[in-house]
Amino acid sequence: MRKSIGSGTLSIVQGDITRQQTDAIVNAANSSLLGGGGVDGAIHRAGGPEILKECEQIAAEIGRLDAGGAVITTGGRLAALYVIHAVGPIWRGGNQGERETLASAYRESLMRAVEKGLGSVSFPSISTGAYRFPVDEAAGIALGAVRDFMKGNAGLKLVEFVLFDAATLQAHEQALGQIEP
């Protein structure tokens, strides 16, 4: 499913984000930046030790990355040139600023891409796995944040959501159908 936004395209597909050939893929990272489970572990395994080495250097400089933030590293052995590591919020019932923090993780990721002059970015569904953010709500927040960012940044030609399972794909397709371009 695709939708034109500004001068770019917002796309939703089911697949393996570690195989994407966009300029950058986004990692749903934890605050330590040192790898973990789920998509974070898969990206570190597929990308190799170069990614972890850069994450260790960043962590040594800044300490833990706050939820809502994003940093960029090499893509290592991935097809993507870069990995943008974004930390989403842990769902605590929705009254702890989780929605704004999730939107910030998407915006900050896109800002890192624009700063590098990248034209294409692939996202997973941030915070909907181990961090338990309700996927239907997260999809609407993510797509709204990306749409708003794309409207003001003509350099982004393709922003793609690469979703691992059919239920997450369906939630994102439904949310995309409800947002205005």
Side-chain angles (χ1 to χ4, degrees):
M1 182 173 203
R2 301 170 86 80
K3 190 173 266 194
S4 293
I5 308 287
S7 62
T9 300
L10 180 54
S11 173
I12 298 174
V13 298
Q14 186 172 349
D16 179 349
I17 198 164
T18 67
R19 298 180 184 267
Q20 296 307 300
Q21 296 182 8
T22 48
D23 294 335
I25 63 171
V26 177
N27 177 19
N30 61 50
S31 292
S32 75
L33 300 175
L34 302 181
V39 72
D40 191 11
I43 288 171
H44 276 273
R45 283 189 301 276
E50 298 90 356
I51 297 172
L52 180 59
K53 183 177 179 181
E54 284 190 47
C55 284
E56 288 171 339
Q57 291 170 345
I58 292 168
E61 291 173 22
I62 68 169
R64 298 179 71 79
L65 182 62
D66 291 337
V71 296
I72 192 167
T73 67
T74 182
R77 296 188 307 237
L78 297 167
L81 300 174
Y82 297 96
V83 176
I84 300 168
H85 305 267
V87 179
I90 297 171
W91 181 258
R92 291 187 165 85
N95 298 316
Q96 305 292 316
E98 296 98 298
R99 293 170 184 88
E100 177 51 38
T101 303
L102 183 62
S104 176
Y106 284 96
R107 284 190 306 270
E108 289 289 319
S109 296
L110 293 169
M111 286 173 37
R112 298 298 84 77
V114 168
E115 289 166 359
K116 281 280 188 193
L118 307 180
S120 59
V121 178
S122 293
F123 279 100
S125 181
I126 297 172
S127 285
T128 60
Y131 287 6
R132 301 178 314 279
F133 205 112
V135 69
D136 292 338
E137 189 170 356
I141 292 166
L143 291 166
V146 168
R147 175 209 53 213
D148 292 348
F149 191 92
M150 288 179 76
K151 283 182 176 181
N153 290 278
L156 287 170
K157 299 302 179 198
L158 173 65
V159 176
E160 189 168 58
F161 281 79
V162 181
L163 306 163
F164 190 71
D165 62 59
T168 306
L169 175 73
Q170 183 178 15
H172 282 74
E173 287 178 339
Q174 186 172 11
L176 183 58
Q178 294 174 355
I179 68 166
E180 294 295 321

